Amino acid sequence: MMIIKSPGGSIFPYYYKGGEIHCLKYGSFHANSESLFSLMKAEETFILGQPRRLAIWVDFYETQLTKEVMLEFAGNLDRLQSHIRKLAIVGGYGSIYRLRRYLRKQAPQLTIPIQYYGDPEDAKTWLVLTS
């Protein structure tokens, strides 16, 4: 398979400990939700163009997870869930806790396995070491 870059600049596919991950770099947007939403749309189009389900790692470090951002992300996941095998979300503890609570309450239709982490290495390991 040819290696390419996704809209967010991630190498695709990204190989880690014998497995494949797709990295979504949604971190460091701080309060710039417009730019984040633009990238989310571009990544959504990219993922929907892939012929298989992916293990996806999402970085939310240094991005403010406002209600608007969480709502947009939930919609993004809903549209992509048929293309996601499993999902690991990484970020600061407080914001990740709020996002986890929000998704459980506001997006019960999500049936993909989702785990939340403070450490990116733990998240990537979970994605590749379990089925």
Side-chain angles (χ1 to χ4, degrees), residues 90-107:
V90 181
Y93 175 77
S95 60
I96 291 304
Y97 177 77
R98 265 193 336 276
L99 178 61
R100 178 184 196 164
R101 199 173 60 218
Y102 180 86
L103 290 177
R104 280 189 175 160
K105 193 174 180 180
Q106 303 298 327

Side-chain angles (χ1 to χ4, degrees), residues 1-129:
M1 173 176 276
M2 190 171 92
I3 293 177
I4 56 175
K5 286 205 173 193
S6 75
S10 296
I11 292 172
F12 180 83
Y14 174 72
Y15 296 101
Y16 183 82
K17 293 185 179 181
E20 255 183 47
I21 300 170
H22 180 48
C23 302
L24 297 178
K25 297 178 181 178
Y26 293 167
S28 300
F29 279 90
H30 303 280
N32 188 350
S33 57
E34 300 250 338
S35 292
L36 173 61
F37 296 164
S38 177
L39 176 58
M40 288 170 97
K41 276 197 182 324
E43 285 285 2
E44 185 175 318
T45 300
F46 179 83
I47 292 167
L48 290 173
Q50 301 309 311
R52 64 196 189 301
R53 296 179 77 201
L54 305 171
I56 296 180
W57 175 77
V58 182
D59 165 15
F60 269 123
Y61 278 109
E62 297 182 6
T63 292
Q64 289 181 14
L65 295 179
T66 62
K67 279 209 175 186
E68 181 186 29
V69 168
M70 291 189 293
L71 178 65
E72 186 69 26
F73 184 62
N76 185 249
L77 291 181
D78 190 40
R79 292 183 296 275
L80 289 173
Q81 79 173 320
S82 65
H83 282 71
I84 299 174
R85 189 168 45 83
K86 58 197 305 191
L87 178 73
I89 300 172
V90 181
Y93 175 77
S95 60
I96 291 304
Y97 177 77
R98 265 193 336 276
L99 178 61
R100 178 184 196 164
R101 199 173 60 218
Y102 180 86
L103 290 177
R104 280 189 175 160
K105 193 174 180 180
Q106 303 298 327
Q109 74 279 10
L110 295 177
T111 57
I112 53 178
I114 302 174
Q115 290 291 323
Y116 301 83
Y117 294 92
D119 182 339
E121 298 307 308
D122 290 344
K124 292 187 278 188
T125 298
W126 174 74
L127 286 170
V128 299
L129 293 183

